[in-house]
Amino acid sequence: MHKSQQFIVKTMGLCDYQTTWQAMKDFTAHRNEQTPDEIWLLQHPPVFTQGIAGKPEHLLHDHGIAVIRTDRGGQITYHGPGQLIAYLLLDLRRLKLGVRELVRNMEQAVIDLLQDYHVIAAGRNDAPGVYIGNAKIASLGLKIKKNYCYHGIALNVDMDLTPFSYINPCGYQGLQVTQTKNLGIADGLEILGSKLASSLQQNLIKNIGDRTT
């Protein structure tokens, strides 16, 4: 593997959460060391997802939105139309990435993307994700199984942010959220999806050549 490797990027539109989750599990269960890594770009209909260690008290009101307990790490979050999701189906051993480095590289991919629009973003040591000041713009969660990962990162683009007020986002009471539209970024899901996939690839494989020489 070398710096020019490209992942398979699939743009999938609006997809049911449970169907997509099952597809990720199936892909991971049947892949092997020759299987190319993939990035799935999509949106979900309105849904709350609760991580493995998720505490039910972080759901303040459901307002009729389905709550699904999933197998990623982290607490509760919201997905809905207008949010760009990039699911990463990766062979971490082949990429020579540890979990902490994977998380930081995922965050950096979003930071780099926003930097292209002259928006300054940052990660936080105490709370994974990407922030504009104190407001969260991207959340992430992963499942690692036999050195393969799935789930990924969700970037708020142009969505109804109201349901985030029904929860303690990612388990943090009063955490503010924002989105690219509110930051003056006019580009929509299609353009941002393409740019995010490119930034993820660059960050996830940027040091491979050095590690394998």
Side-chain angles (χ1 to χ4, degrees):
M1 183 175 297
H2 51 80
K3 292 183 180 180
S4 63
Q5 176 179 347
Q6 297 294 301
F7 301 161
I8 295 173
V9 178
K10 296 181 177 179
T11 302
M12 302 168 67
L14 187 67
C15 301
D16 173 73
Y17 182 84
Q18 287 186 301
T19 302
T20 308
W21 176 25
Q22 186 61 53
M24 288 191 289
K25 290 190 288 185
D26 291 345
F27 178 94
T28 301
H30 294 99
R31 68 177 302 168
N32 57 40
E33 59 269 16
Q34 279 79 47
T35 305
D37 292 324
E38 297 193 2
I39 299 174
W40 296 357
L41 301 174
L42 51 92
Q43 305 169 67
H44 288 309
V47 63
F48 293 121
T49 63
Q50 185 80 275
I52 292 174
K55 298 178 180 179
E57 59 263 32
H58 291 310
L59 175 65
L60 309 177
H61 311 280
D62 63 29
H63 287 272
I65 298 172
V67 182
I68 297 175
R69 182 168 290 277
T70 185
D71 62 349
R72 61 162 175 78
Q75 296 286 330
I76 194 168
T77 194
Y78 171 71
H79 301 304
Q83 183 187 66
L84 172 63
I85 295 175
Y87 284 137
L88 305 179
L89 297 108
L90 309 176
D91 182 336
L92 300 185
R93 179 180 293 156
R94 189 168 60 200
L95 289 168
K96 302 187 183 300
L97 285 172
V99 176
R100 181 170 296 182
E101 188 174 16
L102 170 62
V103 168
R104 296 302 173 224
N105 287 354
M106 290 166 64
E107 293 171 341
Q108 191 62 47
V110 176
I111 293 168
D112 291 347
L113 169 63
L114 295 174
Q115 179 64 44
D116 287 344
Y117 293 95
H118 308 289
V119 172
I120 304 302
R124 280 172 44 175
N125 290 331
D126 62 325
V130 179
Y131 299 80
I132 310 294
N134 292 321
K136 195 167 196 177
I137 193 167
S139 59
L140 61 89
L142 294 166
K143 172 68 175 179
I144 312 296
K145 191 170 185 179
K146 297 181 180 178
N147 294 299
Y148 299 129
C149 80
Y150 57 98
H151 293 293
I153 195 157
L155 174 66
N156 303 332
V157 175
D158 183 4
M159 62 188 300
D160 179 5
L161 297 175
T162 305
F164 284 105
S165 69
Y166 306 158
I167 61 175
N168 292 327
C170 304
Y172 290 88
Q173 183 176 3
L175 179 66
Q176 299 299 305
V177 295
T178 189
Q179 58 186 335
T180 58
K181 179 185 178 183
N182 295 356
L183 300 172
I185 296 174
D187 286 341
L189 287 159
E190 183 175 355
I191 293 174
L192 289 173
S194 177
K195 288 185 175 182
L196 179 57
S198 177
S199 187
L200 283 164
Q201 291 181 83
Q202 291 170 15
N203 276 277
L204 292 169
I205 67 175
K206 61 186 176 184
N207 297 320
I208 275 289
D210 296 334
R211 294 175 186 155
T212 56
T213 55

